[in-house]
Amino acid sequence: MSRKPLVSGNWKMHHTHLDAIAFVQKLAFSLDAEDHRRTDVSLHPAFTALRSVQTVLDADRIPVALGAQDVHWEQKGAFTGEISPLMLAKLNVSYVIVGHSERRQYFGETDETVSKKVRAVLAAGMTPIICVGENEEQREAGGAEDLVVGQLEAALRSVAPEAVASLVVAYEPIWAIGTGRTATPDDAQAMAAALRAAVVADHGSEAGAGVRIQYGGSVNPDNVADMLGGPDVDGALVGGASLDAEVFARLITQLRPG
Ligand code: PEP
Protein backbone atom coordinates (compact mmCIF):
# COMPACT_ATOMS: atom_id res chain seq x y z
CA MET A 1 0.00 0.00 0.00
CA SER A 2 1.41 3.40 -0.83
CA ARG A 3 0.82 6.04 1.79
CA LYS A 4 0.61 9.72 0.89
CA PRO A 5 3.02 11.72 3.04
CA LEU A 6 1.57 14.18 5.53
CA VAL A 7 3.53 17.31 6.45
CA SER A 8 2.07 19.07 9.49
CA GLY A 9 3.00 22.52 10.74
CA ASN A 10 2.71 22.82 14.53
CA TRP A 11 2.76 26.53 15.32
CA LYS A 12 2.69 25.98 19.09
CA MET A 13 2.05 29.29 20.91
CA HIS A 14 2.94 31.49 17.93
CA HIS A 15 0.94 33.65 15.52
CA THR A 16 -2.15 35.74 16.25
CA HIS A 17 -5.19 35.13 14.09
CA LEU A 18 -4.10 38.06 11.89
CA ASP A 19 -0.59 36.60 11.38
CA ALA A 20 -2.27 33.29 10.61
CA ILE A 21 -4.42 34.72 7.80
CA ALA A 22 -1.40 36.29 6.10
CA PHE A 23 0.55 33.05 6.49
CA VAL A 24 -2.13 30.90 4.84
CA GLN A 25 -2.47 33.24 1.87
CA LYS A 26 1.28 33.24 1.34
CA LEU A 27 1.57 29.47 1.68
CA ALA A 28 -1.26 28.87 -0.80
CA PHE A 29 0.46 31.10 -3.32
CA SER A 30 3.74 29.14 -2.99
CA LEU A 31 2.37 25.62 -3.51
CA ASP A 32 1.02 24.20 -6.75
CA ALA A 33 -1.45 21.43 -7.59
CA GLU A 34 1.37 18.91 -7.95
CA ASP A 35 2.59 19.64 -4.39
CA HIS A 36 -0.92 18.98 -3.09
CA ARG A 37 -1.24 15.83 -5.20
CA ARG A 38 1.99 14.41 -3.78
CA THR A 39 1.78 15.61 -0.18
CA ASP A 40 -0.99 16.23 2.34
CA VAL A 41 -0.39 19.36 4.37
CA SER A 42 -1.97 20.32 7.69
CA LEU A 43 -1.64 23.52 9.69
CA HIS A 44 -2.05 23.54 13.48
CA PRO A 45 -2.63 27.10 14.69
CA ALA A 46 -3.41 28.10 18.26
CA PHE A 47 -7.10 27.70 19.15
CA THR A 48 -7.63 31.47 18.78
CA ALA A 49 -6.67 31.32 15.09
CA LEU A 50 -8.58 28.19 14.06
CA ARG A 51 -11.70 29.99 12.88
CA SER A 52 -9.74 32.56 10.85
CA VAL A 53 -7.63 29.89 9.17
CA GLN A 54 -10.70 27.78 8.44
CA THR A 55 -12.43 30.75 6.82
CA VAL A 56 -9.49 31.46 4.49
CA LEU A 57 -9.01 27.79 3.58
CA ASP A 58 -12.71 27.40 2.77
CA ALA A 59 -13.18 30.72 0.97
CA ASP A 60 -10.14 30.26 -1.27
CA ARG A 61 -10.59 26.47 -1.59
CA ILE A 62 -7.03 25.86 -0.43
CA PRO A 63 -6.36 22.10 -0.18
CA VAL A 64 -4.60 22.33 3.19
CA ALA A 65 -6.13 20.55 6.18
CA LEU A 66 -6.92 22.34 9.41
CA GLY A 67 -5.39 20.87 12.56
CA ALA A 68 -5.46 21.53 16.29
CA GLN A 69 -2.64 21.14 18.81
CA ASP A 70 -4.59 19.47 21.61
CA VAL A 71 -8.13 18.67 22.79
CA HIS A 72 -10.04 17.51 25.85
CA TRP A 73 -11.54 14.01 25.84
CA GLU A 74 -15.06 14.99 26.91
CA GLN A 75 -17.54 16.39 24.40
CA LYS A 76 -18.75 19.07 26.86
CA GLY A 77 -18.87 19.86 30.54
CA ALA A 78 -17.45 21.87 33.42
CA PHE A 79 -13.81 21.93 32.29
CA THR A 80 -12.80 25.59 32.39
CA GLY A 81 -10.32 26.50 29.69
CA GLU A 82 -10.67 23.29 27.70
CA ILE A 83 -11.77 22.72 24.09
CA SER A 84 -13.86 19.69 23.10
CA PRO A 85 -13.60 17.40 20.07
CA LEU A 86 -17.09 18.50 19.06
CA MET A 87 -16.00 22.17 18.96
CA LEU A 88 -13.03 21.29 16.75
CA ALA A 89 -15.06 19.07 14.41
CA LYS A 90 -17.57 21.92 13.89
CA LEU A 91 -14.68 24.07 12.66
CA ASN A 92 -13.78 21.45 10.04
CA VAL A 93 -10.67 20.43 11.93
CA SER A 94 -9.31 17.22 10.37
CA TYR A 95 -6.22 16.42 12.46
CA VAL A 96 -5.59 16.81 16.18
CA ILE A 97 -2.12 16.48 17.71
CA VAL A 98 -2.37 14.34 20.83
CA GLY A 99 0.35 13.72 23.41
CA HIS A 100 2.94 16.19 22.15
CA SER A 101 6.03 15.95 24.36
CA GLU A 102 5.52 19.57 25.50
CA ARG A 103 2.05 18.61 26.77
CA ARG A 104 3.51 15.53 28.48
CA GLN A 105 6.42 17.53 29.97
CA TYR A 106 4.71 20.78 31.07
CA PHE A 107 0.99 20.01 31.36
CA GLY A 108 0.75 16.58 32.93
CA GLU A 109 -0.31 14.62 29.84
CA THR A 110 -0.05 10.88 30.54
CA ASP A 111 -0.41 7.73 28.46
CA GLU A 112 -3.88 7.41 29.99
CA THR A 113 -5.08 10.89 28.97
CA VAL A 114 -3.53 10.40 25.53
CA SER A 115 -5.52 7.21 25.11
CA LYS A 116 -8.78 8.95 26.11
CA LYS A 117 -8.08 11.82 23.72
CA VAL A 118 -7.31 9.47 20.83
CA ARG A 119 -10.66 7.75 21.26
CA ALA A 120 -12.51 11.06 21.62
CA VAL A 121 -10.91 12.50 18.47
CA LEU A 122 -11.83 9.39 16.47
CA ALA A 123 -15.37 9.42 17.85
CA ALA A 124 -15.76 12.99 16.60
CA GLY A 125 -14.69 11.94 13.08
CA MET A 126 -11.21 13.51 13.14
CA THR A 127 -7.75 11.97 12.85
CA PRO A 128 -5.36 12.00 15.80
CA ILE A 129 -1.65 12.62 15.26
CA ILE A 130 -0.29 10.64 18.21
CA CYS A 131 3.12 11.85 19.38
CA VAL A 132 5.61 9.45 20.89
CA GLY A 133 9.30 9.86 21.62
CA GLU A 134 12.12 9.30 24.05
CA ASN A 135 14.31 11.80 25.89
CA GLU A 136 18.09 11.84 25.74
CA GLU A 137 18.59 9.84 28.95
CA GLN A 138 16.21 7.15 27.79
CA ARG A 139 17.97 6.92 24.44
CA GLU A 140 21.39 6.67 26.10
CA ALA A 141 20.13 3.98 28.45
CA GLY A 142 19.21 1.91 25.38
CA GLY A 143 15.47 1.67 26.08
CA ALA A 144 14.16 4.04 23.42
CA GLU A 145 12.43 1.51 21.21
CA ASP A 146 10.58 -0.28 24.02
CA LEU A 147 9.53 3.02 25.53
CA VAL A 148 8.24 4.51 22.29
CA VAL A 149 6.42 1.33 21.28
CA GLY A 150 4.93 1.21 24.78
CA GLN A 151 3.65 4.79 24.43
CA LEU A 152 1.97 3.88 21.15
CA GLU A 153 0.45 0.67 22.50
CA ALA A 154 -1.00 2.61 25.44
CA ALA A 155 -2.44 5.25 23.09
CA LEU A 156 -4.08 2.64 20.86
CA ARG A 157 -5.62 0.53 23.60
CA SER A 158 -9.29 -0.13 22.71
CA VAL A 159 -9.04 1.45 19.25
CA ALA A 160 -10.60 -0.61 16.42
CA PRO A 161 -8.16 -1.89 13.73
CA GLU A 162 -10.00 0.04 10.95
CA ALA A 163 -9.46 3.26 12.90
CA VAL A 164 -5.79 2.46 13.50
CA ALA A 165 -5.27 2.10 9.74
CA SER A 166 -6.27 5.70 9.14
CA LEU A 167 -4.51 7.48 11.95
CA VAL A 168 -1.13 9.19 12.18
CA VAL A 169 1.76 8.61 14.57
CA ALA A 170 4.55 11.16 14.98
CA TYR A 171 7.87 9.81 16.20
CA GLU A 172 9.52 12.79 17.85
CA PRO A 173 12.72 12.17 19.82
CA ILE A 174 12.45 14.84 22.54
CA TRP A 175 16.16 15.72 22.32
CA ALA A 176 15.63 16.72 18.67
CA ILE A 177 12.64 19.05 19.19
CA GLY A 178 13.54 22.69 18.76
CA THR A 179 17.23 21.96 19.30
CA GLY A 180 18.55 21.91 15.75
CA ARG A 181 19.69 18.31 16.35
CA THR A 182 17.94 15.67 14.26
CA ALA A 183 17.94 11.92 14.45
CA THR A 184 19.69 10.36 11.47
CA PRO A 185 17.43 9.21 8.62
CA ASP A 186 18.40 5.64 9.58
CA ASP A 187 17.31 6.21 13.20
CA ALA A 188 13.99 7.67 12.04
CA GLN A 189 13.42 4.75 9.67
CA ALA A 190 14.36 2.16 12.31
CA MET A 191 11.94 3.62 14.87
CA ALA A 192 9.17 4.00 12.28
CA ALA A 193 9.65 0.34 11.28
CA ALA A 194 9.49 -0.75 14.93
CA LEU A 195 6.29 1.25 15.45
CA ARG A 196 4.71 -0.21 12.32
CA ALA A 197 5.69 -3.75 13.39
CA ALA A 198 4.01 -3.15 16.76
CA VAL A 199 0.84 -1.97 15.00
CA VAL A 200 0.85 -5.10 12.80
CA ALA A 201 1.32 -7.33 15.85
CA ASP A 202 -1.44 -5.67 17.89
CA HIS A 203 -3.97 -4.55 15.26
CA GLY A 204 -3.28 -6.58 12.10
CA SER A 205 -1.52 -6.13 8.79
CA GLU A 206 -4.07 -3.74 7.26
CA ALA A 207 -3.72 -1.38 10.18
CA GLY A 208 0.07 -1.60 9.88
CA ALA A 209 0.00 -0.93 6.15
CA GLY A 210 -2.31 2.06 6.50
CA VAL A 211 -1.04 3.96 9.53
CA ARG A 212 1.11 6.96 8.59
CA ILE A 213 4.24 7.55 10.66
CA GLN A 214 5.77 11.02 10.68
CA TYR A 215 9.20 12.02 11.94
CA GLY A 216 9.47 15.22 13.98
CA GLY A 217 12.46 17.04 15.44
CA SER A 218 14.23 19.98 13.79
CA VAL A 219 13.03 19.13 10.28
CA ASN A 220 13.82 21.92 7.82
CA PRO A 221 13.97 22.42 4.03
CA ASP A 222 17.57 21.18 3.92
CA ASN A 223 17.03 17.86 5.69
CA VAL A 224 13.38 16.98 4.97
CA ALA A 225 14.02 14.88 1.86
CA ASP A 226 16.64 12.77 3.66
CA MET A 227 14.58 12.43 6.83
CA LEU A 228 11.58 11.17 4.84
CA GLY A 229 13.71 8.83 2.71
CA GLY A 230 12.96 5.60 4.62
CA PRO A 231 10.07 3.40 3.44
CA ASP A 232 8.30 3.61 6.81
CA VAL A 233 8.56 7.39 7.26
CA ASP A 234 5.41 8.97 5.84
CA GLY A 235 5.82 12.64 6.54
CA ALA A 236 6.98 15.17 9.09
CA LEU A 237 5.66 17.07 12.09
CA VAL A 238 7.37 20.43 11.88
CA GLY A 239 7.66 23.10 14.57
CA GLY A 240 10.16 25.91 14.02
CA ALA A 241 10.37 25.57 10.25
CA SER A 242 6.58 25.86 9.93
CA LEU A 243 6.42 29.37 11.39
CA ASP A 244 7.47 31.19 8.24
CA ALA A 245 5.29 30.60 5.17
CA GLU A 246 8.17 30.87 2.72
CA VAL A 247 10.32 28.37 4.68
CA PHE A 248 7.41 25.96 5.19
CA ALA A 249 6.51 26.10 1.50
CA ARG A 250 10.14 25.45 0.57
CA LEU A 251 10.16 22.45 2.91
CA ILE A 252 7.08 21.01 1.18
CA THR A 253 8.41 21.65 -2.33
CA GLN A 254 11.58 19.68 -1.43
CA LEU A 255 9.38 16.61 -1.70
CA ARG A 256 8.92 17.15 -5.44
CA PRO A 257 10.63 14.38 -7.40
CA GLY A 258 14.09 14.84 -8.88
C1 PEP B 1 7.41 19.84 17.16
O1 PEP B 1 7.01 20.82 17.73
O2 PEP B 1 6.70 18.84 17.13
C2 PEP B 1 8.73 19.89 16.52
C3 PEP B 1 9.16 18.82 15.91
O3 PEP B 1 9.43 21.08 16.60
P1 PEP B 1 10.77 21.45 15.80
O4 PEP B 1 10.52 21.14 14.35
O5 PEP B 1 10.96 22.91 16.05
O6 PEP B 1 11.87 20.60 16.35
Side-chain angles (χ1 to χ4, degrees), residues 8-14 42-45 68-69 97 100 102 131 172 237-243 248:
S8 303
N10 173 17
W11 289 353
K12 311 190 185 190
M13 199 170 69
H14 295 279
S42 64
L43 287 177
H44 300 250
Q69 299 176 17
I97 296 171
H100 191 280
E102 288 154 13
C131 298
E172 299 207 301
L237 181 53
V238 184
S242 74
L243 291 177
F248 193 50

Side-chain angles (χ1 to χ4, degrees), residues 72-85 87 116:
H72 195 270
W73 55 85
E74 295 289 348
Q75 298 299 337
K76 61 180 175 181
F79 300 103
T80 301
E82 293 294 326
I83 301 289
S84 84
M87 293 168 182
K116 287 188 197 176

Side-chain angles (χ1 to χ4, degrees), residues 227-241:
M227 291 311 302
L228 271 56
D232 288 294
V233 183
D234 309 311
L237 181 53
V238 184

Side-chain angles (χ1 to χ4, degrees), residues 75 85-86 89 92-96 118-128:
Q75 298 299 337
L86 185 70
N92 288 350
V93 166
S94 304
Y95 295 99
V96 184
V118 166
R119 278 176 280 145
V121 167
L122 289 167
M126 300 177 291
T127 302

Side-chain angles (χ1 to χ4, degrees), residues 64-186:
V64 165
L66 186 59
Q69 299 176 17
D70 190 25
V71 70
H72 195 270
W73 55 85
E74 295 289 348
Q75 298 299 337
K76 61 180 175 181
F79 300 103
T80 301
E82 293 294 326
I83 301 289
S84 84
L86 185 70
M87 293 168 182
L88 297 180
K90 281 279 175 202
L91 282 171
N92 288 350
V93 166
S94 304
Y95 295 99
V96 184
I97 296 171
V98 177
H100 191 280
S101 61
E102 288 154 13
R103 303 287 329 160
R104 293 181 193 254
Q105 193 177 346
Y106 305 128
F107 301 101
E109 190 85 271
T110 62
D111 283 350
E112 196 191 341
T113 55
V114 169
S115 158
K116 287 188 197 176
K117 289 179 180 188
V118 166
R119 278 176 280 145
V121 167
L122 289 167
M126 300 177 291
T127 302
I129 297 179
I130 303 168
C131 298
V132 294
E134 82 285 0
N135 65 28
E136 190 150 31
E137 243 170 49
Q138 291 159 336
R139 169 152 285 249
E140 277 167 11
E145 190 175 304
D146 286 350
L147 181 120
V148 167
V149 166
Q151 287 174 335
L152 183 61
E153 288 179 337
L156 296 182
R157 208 160 285 142
S158 325
V159 176
E162 316 80 73
V164 175
S166 65
L167 56 72
V168 182
V169 176
Y171 166 56
E172 299 207 301
I174 295 168
W175 46 270
I177 296 179
T179 59
R181 292 169 58 198
T182 52
T184 66
D186 286 349

